[in-house]
Amino acid sequence: MKLIDAHAHLAHQAQGIDRIVESGVFEQIWLMDLSGVGSLDNIRLADRQELLDTVKRYDGFFLAFGFLDLDHDKPDRIDALREMGFVGLKPYKQLYPYNFEGYYPLYERAQKLGMPILFHTGLIAHGSPYDPARPHGFGPENMRPLHLAGIAEAFPELQIIAGHQGYPHLEEMQHNLYYYRNIRCDVSGYLRSVDALREILDRRAHDGTNRFFNDKIHFATDEFYGVEACNRRALRLAEFWQLYFEFVGSLYYRWGLPEEQEKFFRGNAIKLRTEFMQKQEGAQ
């Protein structure tokens, strides 16, 4: 079974992309544009055009989520990003909590256009230090999972993806998955709490859909493709999660059944992709 990596990034002057595409491991990779951020963990990120060129070069293997500056972009910026070829949005390190009402016009426009938003939640990588010429937020406080609940209620048709399950605020993320049908999350960066994940995959949501939590969680790596060490780590993460589901899940838990594994590794992402692509076509 090929996997969909539903949360990753692209490095500047990426190396080894052909090998990733031809590895046979991935069906598709969703790349998050953070060109407005600069660098993370001392890795220089691809700029917007670099990322879009990569998406075009590999014809369907990559999908791109465009960087949304919540503090400075206007709603028509979302239209522009969509016209460039982005299928979703990725805010990061904004100055106020995600549920700041000043951001609502952006969320309203994203909902209307069928553009899903992948929000970083929880601990963050070290970025650029304070610079008054380029103000942005610092630390994880404004990106806690609890801030997504109000957005989900205000915009029930907006597809919300919470990156990293909000670690270490796991209880907040579980409440979101339990109550809000339009909130889902990915497992990137979640290895430090794999024991907790084992339990929540079996929980039943109360969001009006009667889904289990494993219906709302995506496989993802959060790796910087194009850095050789990251390329190798992404392949190892894919192997780890498959072995985990096989040797832990299939022996002891319902989420280890083959049809349930498929949801985690690709099915949930395919269902979401189908939904937002259809909405975007209808919004033409």
Side-chain angles (χ1 to χ4, degrees), residues 7-189:
H7 180 171
H9 304 279
L10 186 70
H12 175 58
Q13 296 181 343
Q15 303 295 314
I17 297 300
D18 286 346
R19 291 194 297 276
I20 291 294
V21 174
E22 296 165 4
S23 67
V25 173
F26 300 110
E27 176 180 335
Q28 192 171 65
I29 296 172
W30 297 2
L31 296 174
M32 304 296 135
D33 171 29
L34 289 180
S35 57
V37 175
S39 64
L40 290 174
D41 283 344
N42 298 316
I43 295 175
R44 184 179 173 188
L45 301 168
D47 63 34
R48 180 174 290 118
Q49 194 57 52
E50 226 178 336
L51 191 147
L52 288 172
D53 288 345
T54 299
V55 170
K56 292 175 183 176
R57 187 179 309 122
Y58 293 98
D59 190 26
F61 185 84
F62 295 105
L63 291 183
F65 282 52
F67 177 68
L68 180 65
D69 186 337
L70 292 175
D71 297 304
H72 301 101
D73 285 342
K74 304 299 182 185
D76 59 3
R77 179 60 176 167
I78 298 174
D79 297 70
L81 289 170
R82 184 179 163 200
E83 290 173 7
M84 292 177 198
F86 291 103
V87 301
L89 303 167
K90 171 62 176 174
Y92 191 61
K93 290 194 173 184
Q94 75 289 346
L95 292 170
Y96 303 100
Y98 284 136
N99 62 351
F100 171 54
E101 196 167 344
Y103 300 149
Y104 277 23
L106 293 166
Y107 301 148
E108 182 179 36
R109 189 59 183 164
Q111 176 179 252
K112 184 173 182 179
L113 293 178
M115 298 282 275
I117 304 179
L118 193 151
F119 293 91
H120 177 100
T121 56
L123 294 178
I124 58 172
H126 288 236
S128 304
Y130 174 71
D131 179 354
R134 296 185 64 184
H136 61 76
F138 297 92
E141 183 62 27
N142 289 339
M143 297 183 284
R144 289 181 64 155
L146 66 89
H147 300 313
L148 301 183
I151 301 168
E153 182 179 354
F155 304 98
E157 300 305 317
L158 176 64
Q159 292 289 2
I160 296 169
I161 310 167
H164 324 298
Q165 293 201 46
Y167 181 88
H169 307 295
L170 303 179
E171 187 174 1
E172 293 177 11
M173 191 68 252
Q174 290 174 35
H175 287 168
N176 287 346
L177 293 175
Y178 185 74
Y179 283 111
Y180 299 99
R181 66 176 178 82
N182 56 329
I183 295 182
R184 60 189 67 219
C185 61
D186 67 58
V187 297
S188 62

Side-chain angles (χ1 to χ4, degrees), residues 223-237:
E223 288 298 339
F224 299 88
Y225 286 103
V227 177
E228 290 290 2
C230 296
N231 295 346
R232 292 192 297 271
R233 189 161 53 238
L235 295 173
R236 292 178 64 200
L237 282 168

